Amino acid sequence: MQEILSGMVAVLDQFVLFREAALDPELKQLLDRQHRFMLEHYHLTLESFAAGRKPHRDTQAYLIPNLPPVKFGTSPAAPSAPIAQPSELTDKGIAGYALGLLKSQASLLAMTSLELAHPVCRRVVAAQVPDYIEMAYEAFLYLNGRGWYQVPALPDAEAQRIASSFAPQPRPAGASGR
């Protein structure tokens, strides 16, 4: 639980720093919304750990307020390079760092929940994984919508060729369904 709570604090702290540096009002709203949600999860997780019982309320599901479609395809873009000083930080970088932190936190929560001996804490932590997935997807959509996270599109024939390269497991003779 120490690893989980420490990870939550680190992500929350980073979001505060990101919010201060962000310029785009939409990105600021995204960071604020996600920070509030993660802070509530932090408090519920802390409560379940400190009390050793179910928190006063269940964790709520994170819902992306506006779900734009993913933009497929690539277009020429300036190459990415590391920044040399903090003043070079951009909204693209902030959103990308937020996405990375959310993905890491989702992985941490999933992996550590498998080892939590206390059933209440295990369930509280495991229940948060889908929410971090949604928040990461929202950050991805923000980046994708601005052309900062491009998703190559396969031609239909290529996609079909890949899909048809897998098949169900053949049933042994005389085997019945479940």
Side-chain angles (χ1 to χ4, degrees):
M1 284 302 291
Q2 181 181 6
E3 183 179 7
I4 292 165
L5 292 167
S6 294
M8 290 177 152
V9 167
V11 172
L12 287 164
D13 288 353
Q14 288 292 314
F15 268 61
V16 169
L17 297 173
F18 294 159
R19 172 59 169 85
E20 185 68 28
L23 299 176
D24 178 17
E26 186 178 343
L27 178 58
K28 288 180 179 191
Q29 288 176 350
L30 183 151
L31 294 168
D32 287 343
R33 182 173 51 254
Q34 291 187 352
H35 184 272
R36 279 191 307 275
F37 189 85
M38 289 185 287
L39 186 59
E40 181 63 23
H41 271 267
Y42 169 76
H43 287 128
L44 292 172
T45 305
L46 182 60
E47 180 184 342
S48 73
F49 179 54
R53 58 177 156 37
K54 188 176 178 179
H56 73 281
R57 69 170 187 81
D58 291 334
T59 56
Q60 303 299 304
Y62 185 82
L63 301 174
I64 300 171
N66 300 309
L67 195 61
V70 174
K71 293 180 181 177
F72 291 96
T74 59
S75 59
S80 294
I83 63 173
Q85 51 195 356
S87 62
E88 297 177 72
L89 185 60
T90 64
D91 286 344
K92 175 184 177 184
I94 291 167
Y97 304 143
L99 173 59
L101 283 169
L102 293 164
K103 289 167 66 171
S104 294
Q105 190 66 11
S107 296
L108 176 67
L109 293 171
M111 290 186 298
T112 55
S113 69
L114 301 171
E115 302 167 349
L116 282 171
H118 195 283
V120 171
C121 292
R122 184 174 55 253
R123 290 180 191 116
V124 168
V125 170
Q128 295 175 46
V129 174
D131 299 313
Y132 278 84
I133 292 169
E134 287 300 301
M135 288 186 288
Y137 188 67
E138 183 179 29
F140 156 75
L141 288 172
Y142 175 85
L143 288 159
N144 175 258
R146 282 148 187 79
W148 296 335
Y149 193 131
Q150 297 186 32
V151 180
L154 290 175
D156 289 341
E158 183 70 14
Q160 185 56 44
R161 191 170 25 262
I162 292 170
S164 64
S165 67
F166 295 91
Q169 179 184 27
R171 295 200 183 278
S176 61
R178 291 181 187 190

